[in-house]
Amino acid sequence: MPALRLILLALVAGQAIRLLAMATVPFADTSEPRYAEIARLMAVSGDWVTPWFSAGVPFWGKPPLSFWTQAVAIDWLGLAEFSARLPGWLAMIGVAALLFQFGRQAMGPVSAWWALVIFATSLLPFVASGAVLTDPFLALGTTLTLVSFCLAGTSSHPFWRYGVFIGMAIGLLAKGPIAAVLSLGVLVAWMVWSADARARWKLLLWPPGLATTVVLVVPWYLLAEAKTPGFLQYFLVGEHFLRFTDPGWSGDLYGSAHERAYGAIWVDTLLAGLPWSLVGCGWLLLALYRAPSRAQLWAALRRDEVRFLMLWALASPVLFTLSGNILWTYVLPSMPALALLLGRAFAYSRPAWSRVVVGISVALVPTLFAAMILIVAVHPNYLKTEKLLVREAQEMAAAVPIYFVGGAPFSARYYSEGAAKGVALDEVSALVRSRSGPLWVAVPRDRTAQVLASLGDGMIEHRSSRRFTLYEVPAP
């Protein structure tokens, strides 16, 4: 089938570009190198219970599932961008496979293929696949829970009857109770709406399923609290209540609150689905304008699987509408449902202009990523990363600490394997006077004059990054 071959070609080309970006684009501060550094510390220390933010500072902000997988990848494949990014890519491949399986069984193969290509070339799924984030694992957990619940009633395979509980465990170990809120919120709402959903609820293997979730999840939570007391209070109350209700929450131990206007999550949803979110809005307006399309739309809304997908698609935006402390990645768990809804729409009624629009939409995000790869290759200082600066210092003086005035960024800590140290501005003079050999100091480019006055004469300037310039202070 020519159309299927084109879809497969588009998917393979898009993922090839994504894999190339995973291998070549450096970590840019702050999110990716922060999580990569936490995973590196886990791999180096062998501590598989507590993720560490820095020496002596436990990271209580997220459960460890993503860090476990990234630490294993770093241990097996070495300290490279691709190693730390590979688990996230595999998690998103799992989400895509579940999406396709649901689409094929519930709506037919044509809808499934459309949904797959829409999901794989939407902005947020494309960015999140192959990124060092926790969100792909949350999306994997919620998708497995929701898809398993639906397929448990139509498939004879016992996996789906356990999949609800395995997916819940993945979500609880990836992000915490928010996974249960998202998944159970959709299922409870669907059961209120649908008698068939209530029947499926009774098919689940409740005693062994709940036991599976408890065995997989609870031991880590108890061990984490025992090892670093205070974890449960901070994680459950701070991260899951105060962060949600207080836009300017000042209790964040690892950064700052992401204060946004209430309702901004809907803008994030539109952005996350680009370019397909715009295509979907255009399709919906056209369907409402034309009488035959309106009839098809109302008929579709009476179908059980469409109602389920609507609830799933709305779960994240509705939940975070009244939260002013959000990131755009929070809508990722709803993206599979949005792709399935639009895939079904395109499978059953494609407007005359769809061929050109679809061609542009499929190619847009991968093309932008290909352009980014070229830009970073030609202009390495485009990103806020200290990879090349650290590499130059290591080539000239291996295993010697590099002091970053004002604090070492996470990218410097990751690429230096912990050799990057922070030093306060008022401590630079004492550091220079106490040196017994050459000293490497990275100076913020906007504070160069002030810092150089403390370093004295004879400094040798080396590479500059977007934020820092590396200086060598010769031995006295």
Side-chain angles (χ1 to χ4, degrees), residues 64-80:
L65 180 60
S66 62
F67 305 126
W68 284 342
T69 61
Q70 292 149 9
V72 169
I74 289 171
D75 193 40
W76 287 359
L77 303 177
L79 195 74

Side-chain angles (χ1 to χ4, degrees), residues 234 238-239 241-246 249 252 257-258 323 325 330:
Y234 177 86
E239 289 285 343
F241 179 73
L242 296 178
R243 180 181 290 280
F244 183 85
T245 58
D246 184 359
W249 180 45
D252 194 326
H258 311 287
S323 176
N325 191 351
Y330 290 3

Side-chain angles (χ1 to χ4, degrees), residues 104-443:
R104 189 172 64 85
Q105 292 198 23
M107 299 183 297
V110 177
S111 297
W113 280 111
W114 273 109
L116 183 61
V117 76
I118 289 167
F119 181 76
T121 55
S122 294
L123 182 59
L124 178 56
F126 199 88
V127 171
S129 64
V132 188
L133 298 170
T134 58
D135 302 275
F137 295 89
L138 172 62
L140 177 62
T142 55
T143 303
L144 179 56
T145 295
L146 296 172
V147 168
S148 295
F149 183 84
C150 289
L151 297 186
T154 59
S155 173
S156 60
H157 201 291
F159 171 78
W160 303 114
R161 299 172 74 186
Y162 278 104
V164 172
F165 305 99
I166 297 172
M168 198 70 71
I170 291 172
L172 290 170
L173 287 173
K175 277 276 193 174
I178 189 64
V181 172
L182 288 170
S183 300
L184 293 178
V186 173
L187 296 182
V188 170
W190 191 34
M191 284 189 294
V192 171
W193 203 350
S194 167
D196 182 62
R198 293 192 290 274
R200 296 180 192 213
W201 184 267
K202 299 175 183 178
L203 294 175
L204 299 181
L205 301 173
W206 281 103
L210 285 175
T212 300
T213 301
V214 169
V215 168
L216 291 175
V217 174
V218 172
W220 176 79
Y221 278 82
L222 297 179
L223 286 171
E225 174 65 21
K227 187 168 184 179
T228 55
F231 158 72
L232 290 177
Q233 170 72 19
Y234 177 86
F235 181 66
L236 297 179
V237 178
E239 289 285 343
H240 280 79
F241 179 73
L242 296 178
R243 180 181 290 280
F244 183 85
T245 58
D246 184 359
W249 180 45
S250 59
D252 194 326
L253 299 177
Y254 312 104
S256 58
H258 311 287
E259 188 169 356
R260 303 277 301 283
Y262 290 120
I265 194 70
W266 294 95
V267 178
D268 291 341
T269 303
L270 184 66
L271 174 64
L274 289 175
W276 295 103
S277 53
L278 295 181
V279 175
C281 290
W283 179 91
L284 181 60
L285 291 174
L286 188 62
L288 293 173
Y289 175 74
R290 300 169 64 180
S293 298
R294 278 202 306 272
Q296 288 182 331
L297 181 60
W298 303 139
L301 291 176
R302 289 192 291 269
R303 295 184 64 87
D304 229 22
E305 73 274 7
V306 174
R307 292 176 174 181
F308 166 71
L309 290 174
M310 288 176 59
L311 292 170
W312 182 359
L314 292 171
S316 292
V318 168
L319 178 64
F320 292 106
T321 292
L322 296 180
S323 176
N325 191 351
I326 59 172
L327 296 170
W328 78 308
T329 53
Y330 290 3
V331 302
L332 186 61
S334 286
M335 295 303 295
L338 290 167
L340 284 161
L341 285 170
L342 190 54
R344 188 188 188 283
F346 264 64
Y348 286 95
S349 60
R350 294 192 291 275
W353 45 259
S354 67
R355 181 170 296 183
V356 174
V357 171
V358 165
I360 294 173
S361 299
V362 167
L364 183 60
V365 171
T367 300
L368 291 175
F369 261 70
M372 180 189 68
I373 294 171
L374 292 174
I375 291 171
V376 171
V378 176
H379 301 287
N381 285 348
Y382 174 79
L383 298 176
K384 293 191 293 184
T385 180
E386 310 313 321
K387 178 180 180 178
L388 296 180
L389 187 148
V390 167
R391 179 178 293 173
E392 175 151 337
Q394 289 176 330
E395 289 175 352
M396 303 187 72
V400 172
I402 310 163
Y403 292 94
F404 282 78
V405 177
F410 285 101
S411 61
R413 289 169 51 186
Y414 179 83
Y415 288 115
S416 68
E417 301 184 48
K421 310 292 182 183
V423 59
L425 177 61
D426 56 4
E427 296 174 348
V428 173
S429 296
L431 180 66
V432 171
R433 290 194 301 270
S434 64
R435 75 190 188 280
S436 58
L439 188 67
W440 297 87
V441 181
V443 179

